[in-house]
Each structure stands twice: as C-alpha cells, then as structure tokens.
Amino acid sequence: MIKLSAFISGLIFGLGLLLAGMANPAKVLAFLDVVGAWDPSLALVMGGAIAVAVIPLNWARKNKQSLLGVPMQLPMKRELDGRSQGASATPDVRCCPCQRRTHISAPRSGSPSW
Amino acid sequence: MSIDWINFTPWTSAGGGALIGLAASLFVLANGRIAGISGLIGSVMQFGSEGWSEKALFLLGLVIAPLLWGAFTLLPEIEIKAEWPALIIAGLLVGVGTRYGSGCTSGHGVCGISRLSARSITATMCFMFAGFATVYVIRHVVGA
C-alpha cells in the first residue's frame, strides 16, 4: 500500500509539473529573469502547492505516524547552519530553537563559521 | 520589470501547483515522507538505503507522468537552448547545490514552507535570490 501511494504521489507530482509548465527550463529561467520579460508563473506554482499542502504538512508535523501507520520521517533539524543558506554572500542567520525565533543580522567580517 | 503577459500562465500554473501540493500531501500523509526531489534522487542513488523502494517508486511515477500525459494529449513544448556540455555542468551544479543546501524547490520551497520551517523559508529566499542574481549576471551583464 505504501508502495502504491509512493508511486501515485510521484505520478501526480509529475503531472502537476507538466500542467504548471515547469517541465520547460525556459519557463523557469523566465521566472528568474526579473529585469527581462518576466514570467511570474513559478510563483503561482509554489503558491498553489503551498495552499494545498500547508494543512496536511502541519498535521504531519504534529503526528508520529502516517495514516498508513508508518513512522513520520520529517527533517528534525531546526537550526540555520548556513549550509542551506548557501555561500558567503548570505546574511548571518541564527535560529534559537528554544524560542522558535530567527535572528537575522548583517554579515560581519570574520564571523564564525556556521 | 515588465511582465511577459503572453507567456504568463496563471491558471495552469496555479492548477499544476495544486497538483504538486496534492502529491506532497499524499506522500506525507500516507508514507510520512517529504516529497523533496533532490533528496529522493540522492537517496535512490545510494542503493539499498532506508526506504529505497518507496523513494524509487515515487521517482518512477514522476518519470512515467509524461508518458501518461502523452497518451492523452500533446506534451508541452520544451525549450533548451544550451548545448550538452553546458547541460552536464549545469546538472552537476544543481546536484551539488541542492545537496549542499539540503533541498530544492520541492523540498524547501513547497514542503518546507508548508510546514512553516524557518530553515526552509530562509533557504528558499536564499536560492531564489541567488537564481535571480545568476540569471541577471548571465543574461544582462555577461550576455549584454
């Protein structure tokens, strides 16, 4: 059953990408080219996806098991370690898991690695 | 900034996005997993890793989708202007970048933002900004 749901999920995901026009690299590039002839479609793809997924994913966050009884395997890492924020040009970001709050400050020279 | 109204597809893009959201929801509700494509590909490359068959089946569904689509109607046009050596380099950079950043548009941008992860929201803002900057430099500085 979990194998079937995995396959169906992938299939729906792929059909969504095709319908959204996101199988075409030129359309993705047109979203990233904000000073050229800008195509904002990708923002609507993300908006549509988040609007549908926000309730199920928050339900998942609060539950230890899926509806089919397998353990939830959500990423547990909460801290912003700088890796997912990319290279040196990003601002100095730290997250306090205890306060569930993120501090963002300007990059400093010689700041410790994160 | 000028919007390309001819190529802008608000309805099909939002509809396609809703399908992606539905797929991500089904995967997390049924399988308890995050539908992050770069992460899934990374795991499937490590043969026999945890949840290998489920992840491989998700990706199989993903690659079968165009065949199913094509059985009923015309596939959307795909424009790739780059030559194959550039595509190989670009693919490698995407792979390294998404692994280094712990996720891509699907994992951070859709699933992460949906579960309100500060880490994913920050990551999405960073890679989008980096994408805007890269395309600006390539198209309007180097290619000007």
Side-chain angles (χ1 to χ4, degrees), chain A residues 2-3 5-6 9-10 20 24 27 33 35 38-39 41 44-46 49 54 56 58 66-67 73 79-80 83-84, chain B residues 2-4 7-9 13 17 23 29-32 50 53-54 58 62 79 99-101 109 114 119 123 139-140:
Chain A
I2 57 166
K3 291 190 171 168
S5 59
S9 302
N24 183 2
K27 203 161 169 66
D33 190 3
V35 300
W38 190 48
D39 179 354
S41 303
L44 284 149
V45 180
M46 281 186 66
V54 68
N58 277 286
S66 81
L67 294 177
Q73 309 215 22
E79 73 276 20
L80 302 177
R83 269 190 50 188
S84 53
Chain B
S2 62
I3 292 180
D4 182 0
N7 290 309
F8 181 38
T9 51
S13 286
L29 291 179
N31 296 60
E50 189 278 327
S53 58
E54 269 172 78
F58 181 100
L62 188 65
E79 306 150 67
R99 299 315 287 152
Y100 186 62
S114 293
R119 197 175 144 82
R139 287 198 177 172
H140 304 287

Side-chain angles (χ1 to χ4, degrees), chain B residues 25-140:
Chain B
S25 301
L26 176 64
F27 201 43
V28 81
L29 291 179
N31 296 60
R33 295 185 189 277
I34 291 290
I37 308 302
S38 58
L40 292 174
I41 293 174
S43 297
V44 168
M45 300 278 265
Q46 293 162 291
F47 192 80
S49 62
E50 189 278 327
W52 191 89
S53 58
E54 269 172 78
K55 293 173 181 178
L57 280 163
F58 181 100
L59 294 175
L60 181 69
L62 188 65
V63 298
I64 282 179
L67 302 178
L68 184 69
W69 180 292
F72 292 97
T73 179
L74 270 180
L75 281 164
E77 193 188 343
I78 289 176
E79 306 150 67
I80 300 175
K81 294 194 181 98
E83 300 290 332
W84 67 265
L87 290 175
I88 291 176
I89 295 167
L92 281 170
L93 289 174
V94 169
V96 171
T98 51
R99 299 315 287 152
Y100 186 62
S102 316
C104 57
T105 331
S106 51
H108 279 312
V110 173
C111 297
I113 292 181
S114 293
R115 63 188 183 93
L116 310 175
S117 151
R119 197 175 144 82
S120 288
I121 293 167
T122 314
T124 307
M125 288 193 298
C126 291
F127 67 63
M128 281 299 181
F129 178 77
F132 294 142
T134 307
V135 171
Y136 178 78
V137 170
I138 300 282
R139 287 198 177 172
H140 304 287

